[in-house]
Amino acid sequence: MAIEKIIVIHGGELAKDVAEQLQAKKPSSVAMELRSASKSPKSLMDTANASTLHCFIMQTIENAAPTEDGGSTLRFFKRKTQPADLLSANGAVFQFTVLGLGDSNLLLDRQTTSAKDCNQVAQELDKRLEQLGGSRFYELGQADERSELVEVEPWIQGLLAKFWADDTHTVYNPQTLPSSIYYPGGNLS
């Protein structure tokens, strides 16, 4: 089924900035809503509609903790009382992707660090969404502020490329894709 709507749920100020960056590059044929993770987690999701992609952009701060905005959403999904089929109970496929934003500069006790070391919130959320019956649309992305978030742009480009490749409303024709999307082998324009 083609994605008709993307709900971007952002937790943290930096996550909001990246969500706005994603929104600026979205396909014009798709509706996109930005929602703060500080809202009620149940109101953030559209679990009845299989044509909706839920894109979580979550920031990890000191001590592997979520931002204040992202905390309620992470806690909601991590509850041990959640049924194993929470995201698949109504028969619709809950499609999701997660992008983590962290800062390895906060890990002073380590000699070497990478984006994987500072994105615990995104890692936990990604794993838990799958455990609850969600279907991963695109791979977990992890970015590090220390490296100036260079991982964000390739993740966005990959997500958009997958979106266009999976779009069944149009014939997959490289000439009809946005010229701003990078594809292996170079831009198409």
Side-chain angles (χ1 to χ4, degrees):
M1 172 170 279
I3 301 296
E4 297 174 1
K5 179 179 178 182
I6 301 172
I7 298 175
V8 181
I9 302 163
H10 54 83
E13 284 300 314
L14 180 60
K16 181 180 179 188
D17 292 343
V18 172
E20 290 169 350
Q21 182 181 349
L22 175 60
Q23 185 175 36
K25 296 178 181 187
K26 77 163 183 74
S28 59
S29 63
V30 175
M32 182 178 283
E33 294 178 24
L34 302 185
R35 299 180 181 179
S36 172
S38 64
K39 306 290 185 222
S40 165
K42 287 185 180 179
S43 71
L44 296 174
M45 301 177 300
D46 182 1
T47 56
N49 192 344
S51 65
T52 299
L53 171 64
H54 297 81
C55 178
F56 293 86
I57 302 177
M58 303 298 281
Q59 190 173 350
T60 300
I61 55 175
E62 291 184 67
N63 301 320
T67 60
E68 188 174 330
D69 286 352
S72 62
T73 296
L74 183 64
R75 285 187 299 276
F76 172 79
F77 287 113
K78 286 181 66 176
R79 286 185 195 146
K80 294 185 190 295
T81 57
Q82 297 290 18
D85 65 347
L86 175 71
L87 301 177
S88 61
N90 65 0
V93 177
F94 180 88
Q95 296 187 80
F96 73 91
T97 188
V98 180
L99 173 63
L101 307 172
D103 188 353
S104 61
N105 286 318
L106 301 174
L107 305 173
L108 301 175
D109 59 335
R110 300 187 187 172
Q111 292 273 335
T112 59
T113 57
S114 70
K116 290 181 181 180
D117 299 317
C118 60
N119 278 293
Q120 294 86 349
V121 170
Q123 293 165 2
E124 290 176 27
L125 181 61
D126 183 75
K127 180 179 177 182
R128 188 64 175 147
L129 291 172
E130 189 171 49
Q131 289 173 343
L132 294 173
S135 174
R136 186 178 293 105
F137 179 80
Y138 187 64
E139 66 192 39
L140 169 65
Q142 299 178 84
D144 185 356
E145 279 191 81
R146 184 177 68 175
S147 63
E148 299 181 5
L149 301 172
V150 297
E151 304 89 350
V152 169
E153 188 61 28
W155 185 87
I156 289 174
Q157 297 300 325
L159 173 64
L160 294 176
K162 175 146 174 59
F163 174 81
W164 281 98
D166 284 1
D167 186 3
T168 57
H169 286 313
T170 60
V171 175
Y172 180 55
N173 177 353
Q175 303 310 316
T176 64
L177 301 179
S179 61
S180 63
I181 296 179
Y182 172 81
Y183 298 90
N187 282 349
L188 297 174
S189 58

